[in-house]
Each structure stands twice: as structure tokens, then as C-alpha cells.
Amino acid sequence: MIFSPEGLPGPAHTGREILGTQGSLVLRNVTAQDSGSYTVVLETSRGRRSATKQIHVKNSLQLMPLKTFPAAIRGVIQSELNYSVILQWVVTMDSEPVLSWAFNGVPCGMGEKLFIRRLSWEQLGTYMCIATNSKKQLVSEPVTISLPEPIAQPTEAEPMEPDPTLSLSGGSAIGLLVAGILGAGTLIAGMCFTIIQSLRTDRQRKGICS
């Protein structure tokens, strides 16, 4: 439903919608058919902006279930585009009712079944059926048709790289072992040389004193 900047109604106007103060939308005598998506469009010299709000109208009457294909889960049918979707009224009423369908609050069909033969982007939204006879009116539970949610791919665990300070290859380990042995040998040789030199010095001192 669109209003022009002058406040004139556009598509899907039923005569119950008016523009209130500060651009607010007022719905008079709200019914279950008013459930759906409402979009506000703001046009300025800097461009065009829009925002959409989903409104669900609660009905004091008991909501009737619908038979659907594919099956609805918690009031939602997930279907790919170009696939068929069928909604069917299955409640029996004493005296045949008049069955009308609404899509986002806008009348979209009549009869026991609503066929959507090749689902398109424009047909994604919320559907309801209203059954009316001379005694009463029954309303179906809202059924929303949407695209399947993408399946999140499991993330692969990144391989842990070994700590270079702790992990050594075979060649590196052998090299480190050889270096350790050589270092220990050098240290022992240095200690032996120091002891021998100390003994020689003591002998020389004794010879001089005698």
C-alpha cells in the first residue's frame, strides 16, 4: 500500500487506511486480513529510503489450522523459488462458507485451495484464509512462506603447528646431541688441563723452596 506525498492512496487501499500526523499510518476497524508487511517510503532530494514492518493481528477467535504442501513447521513453509505450494482450508462448517484468501493482508484468491504453481520472490510472505457463512466467521492460522535458510558449513579445524622451540626433526636432534657431547668433552678437557697445570705449579714451587 502506497500513499503519494500529497496523501493520496495507492495500490491495496481498502478505504480504511489514512495518513495521520507526522506521516503515521492509521488503520480503522482492524481485521485479521490486515496482518502482513507494511512498507514506508521516504523520498527526499538526497535519495529514497524505505523500511518494512511485519504486523500480526491477533484474533479473539480460535485460529483454524490449514493443510499445506510442503508441510508447515511452526507456521512457516520453506520452499525454493519456482516450486509449487498449496494451502487448503479443511474445517467443516454448518452451511457452506465463503472462503477468501489474504496475502500480507491483501485479498489474493477465493475457494477451498490456494495454488501457488511457481513460487516467486513477490509471493513470499504471510497467507491466511477467512471462512464466512450466515452464522459465523472463522480465520485460519497465518502461514508464512519463505526461502530455506542456508545451511552453515562446519569450519575445519586449523592444524596446530608444532612449537619450533620444542619440536626437532631427526637431523636437528642428532646435531643437538652431538653438540652437547662435544660441549661436555670440551668442558671436561678444560677442567683436566686446569688441574694438571695446578699440580705442575705446586711441584715447581716445592723445588724452589727446597
Side-chain angles (χ1 to χ4, degrees):
M1 180 171 54
I2 301 174
F3 282 88
S4 69
E6 293 78 19
L8 300 177
H13 184 258
T14 65
R16 297 182 295 105
E17 303 88 357
I18 60 173
L19 281 179
T21 59
Q22 299 181 350
S24 60
L25 176 64
V26 179
L27 299 177
R28 296 177 296 184
N29 300 323
V30 175
T31 67
Q33 292 184 346
D34 293 316
S35 294
S37 299
Y38 291 80
T39 301
V40 59
V41 179
L42 175 64
E43 292 186 355
T44 66
S45 58
R46 297 183 178 180
R48 181 175 181 176
R49 295 183 179 179
S50 64
T52 301
K53 179 67 176 180
Q54 186 78 20
I55 297 179
H56 293 286
V57 178
K58 294 183 179 180
N59 198 311
S60 58
L61 299 176
Q62 181 182 0
L63 299 181
M64 300 293 105
L66 291 175
K67 182 178 180 180
T68 67
F69 175 83
I73 300 177
R74 295 181 180 179
V76 178
I77 296 175
Q78 293 188 347
S79 174
E80 298 284 357
L81 297 179
N82 296 320
Y83 279 67
S84 296
V85 176
I86 302 175
L87 308 177
Q88 181 180 359
W89 177 267
V90 293
V91 178
T92 302
M93 299 175 64
D94 186 11
S95 77
E96 199 69 19
V98 175
L99 299 173
S100 59
W101 295 87
F103 169 58
N104 288 339
V106 179
C108 64
M110 302 289 293
E112 180 184 349
K113 294 182 180 181
L114 180 67
F115 290 92
I116 303 175
R117 303 189 184 279
R118 294 177 62 88
L119 184 65
S120 64
W121 281 99
E122 293 76 14
Q123 293 170 314
L124 298 175
T126 302
Y127 292 81
M128 298 181 69
C129 184
I130 298 90
T132 306
N133 62 13
S134 58
K135 298 180 180 179
K136 59 183 176 180
Q137 181 182 79
L138 297 180
V139 181
S140 75
E141 296 177 343
V143 174
T144 300
I145 302 177
S146 65
L147 296 179
E149 297 180 358
I151 300 176
Q153 296 294 333
T155 57
E156 297 182 358
E158 297 184 359
M160 295 182 62
E161 297 184 359
D163 190 341
T165 62
L166 301 177
S167 177
L168 296 174
S169 62
S172 299
I174 294 174
L176 182 60
L177 180 60
V178 172
I181 294 173
L182 292 177
T186 303
L187 179 60
I188 293 172
M191 293 176 62
C192 292
F193 178 78
T194 302
I195 294 172
I196 294 172
Q197 286 293 95
S198 177
L199 293 175
R200 286 180 179 178
T201 303
D202 290 342
R203 288 177 182 177
Q204 290 177 356
R205 289 178 180 176
K206 291 179 179 180
I208 295 173
C209 293
S210 60

